Amino acid sequence: MRIALFVTCLADTVFPQAAKATVRLLERLGHEVVFPAGQTCCGQMHVNTGYPGEAVPLVRRFARTFDPYDVVVAPSGSCVGSVRHQHAWVARRAGDERLAGRAESVAGRTYELSELLVDVLGVTDVGAYFPHRVTYHPTCHSLRSLRVGDRPVRLLRAVRGLTLVELPAAEQCCGFGGTFAVKNADTSTAMLADKMRHVLSTGAEVCTAGDVSCLMHIGGGLSRLRAGMRTVHLAEILASTEEAV
């Protein structure tokens, strides 16, 4: 299968290892991954901050860039949630029904990584090897917007050598929320403290999730505590093999 990678802003600029791992994983499974160079931000931060009008050019570019591909994947539940639930709305709000239709078409072919693997490619055992004790944080957008359910957990349970430890109060938000963490710093910090307490209680070596934004928030807090726990994107775990360890 020929799959287009939507890299997302954070993966592109701060966490390229998550995007590279997505490519390695899908190529190992026998698929061709292409990177459309015309891609930019999906516009989520504009919409969420109250500037849907400014997001229109980004929605138009996204639709134009990814329309030629049958399948689009991103290592981000948050950005895929924006594509799926915001793009057509942004276009219709601007009175562009043609763009809205095109956005809906592209959104129907855009998947978060665990969705693509389980629902489209039909695999849960990707041949990964990761000999560590791991806990999984289900990010808000993947959980509530995309409803990925137990797909990431099913993938993690099939990884050889991995011990999956249940995270207490897993469905509670980590407190990032994009600009929420900036505009409501005290509330965000309190939510992060609760999340870190639960993460550390597992005794895991690694905390994983499907969004680098949440891992950045949690990882930053853990590093300040010098807790000795790493945050690793789901794609990196699934891309790991015995040869690479």
Side-chain angles (χ1 to χ4, degrees), residues 172-195:
Q172 289 183 7
C173 177
C174 71
F176 179 63
T179 55
F180 173 84
V182 178
K183 294 180 177 180
N184 303 277
D186 291 343
T187 303
S188 173
T189 300
M191 295 170 73
L192 175 61
D194 286 342
K195 179 59 65 175

Side-chain angles (χ1 to χ4, degrees), residues 5 9 18 30 42 53-54 57 60 76 81 96 114 118 137 162 172 180 182 185 201 205 217 221 241:
L5 173 67
C9 295
C42 67
E54 283 72 5
R60 183 172 290 111
S76 167
D96 193 335
S114 72
V118 176
H137 165 61
L162 186 149
Q172 289 183 7
F180 173 84
V182 178
S201 75
E205 302 167 72
H217 193 54
T241 61

Side-chain angles (χ1 to χ4, degrees), residues 112-115 117-119 123-126 128 134-139 142-143 147-160 162-168 170-171 208-210 233-235 237-238:
E112 179 267 343
L113 180 60
S114 72
E115 289 182 315
L117 292 169
V118 176
D119 297 344
V123 295
T124 52
D125 187 344
V126 298
V134 176
T135 193
Y136 168 70
H137 165 61
T139 65
S142 64
L143 185 70
R147 301 187 184 279
V148 301
D150 68 345
R151 292 171 183 83
V153 171
R154 288 158 63 189
L155 290 160
L156 289 168
R157 284 175 178 158
V159 175
R160 290 185 301 114
L162 186 149
T163 301
L164 186 61
V165 189
E166 184 175 354
L167 177 64
E171 296 187 0
T208 191
H233 192 278
L234 176 67
I237 293 177
L238 298 180

Side-chain angles (χ1 to χ4, degrees), residues 32-241:
E32 178 189 0
V33 182
V34 296
F35 179 79
Q39 62 182 281
T40 57
C41 175
C42 67
Q44 177 187 184
M45 62 180 178
H46 303 71
V47 178
N48 291 353
T49 313
Y51 297 94
E54 283 72 5
V56 174
L58 297 171
V59 170
R60 183 172 290 111
R61 175 179 282 271
F62 188 94
R64 181 175 66 246
T65 301
F66 289 101
D67 194 34
Y69 302 95
D70 293 331
V71 175
V72 181
V73 67
S76 167
S78 176
C79 295
V80 172
S82 177
V83 171
R84 198 173 293 173
H85 298 294
Q86 293 180 341
H87 278 198
W89 174 82
V90 166
R92 287 199 172 95
R93 185 182 181 278
D96 193 335
E97 188 59 39
R98 181 178 178 183
L99 176 59
R102 196 176 186 187
E104 285 178 338
S105 175
V106 175
R109 294 175 264 135
T110 303
Y111 300 91
E112 179 267 343
L113 180 60
S114 72
E115 289 182 315
L116 176 72
L117 292 169
V118 176
D119 297 344
V120 180
L121 304 183
V123 295
T124 52
D125 187 344
V126 298
Y129 175 73
F130 193 76
H132 299 284
R133 187 176 170 91
V134 176
T135 193
Y136 168 70
H137 165 61
T139 65
C140 289
H141 284 91
S142 64
L143 185 70
R144 298 174 175 86
S145 178
L146 297 183
R147 301 187 184 279
V148 301
D150 68 345
R151 292 171 183 83
V153 171
R154 288 158 63 189
L155 290 160
L156 289 168
R157 284 175 178 158
V159 175
R160 290 185 301 114
L162 186 149
T163 301
L164 186 61
V165 189
E166 184 175 354
L167 177 64
E171 296 187 0
Q172 289 183 7
C173 177
C174 71
F176 179 63
T179 55
F180 173 84
V182 178
K183 294 180 177 180
N184 303 277
D186 291 343
T187 303
S188 173
T189 300
M191 295 170 73
L192 175 61
D194 286 342
K195 179 59 65 175
M196 288 193 298
R197 176 166 50 84
H198 292 308
V199 167
L200 291 171
S201 75
T202 66
E205 302 167 72
V206 171
C207 175
T208 191
D211 278 272
V212 293
S213 53
C214 300
L215 290 174
M216 176 178 67
H217 193 54
I218 297 169
L222 292 173
S223 69
R224 288 191 292 275
L225 292 179
R226 299 185 179 180
M229 181 185 290
R230 293 185 292 149
T231 52
V232 178
H233 192 278
L234 176 67
E236 296 176 76
I237 293 177
L238 298 180
S240 296
T241 61

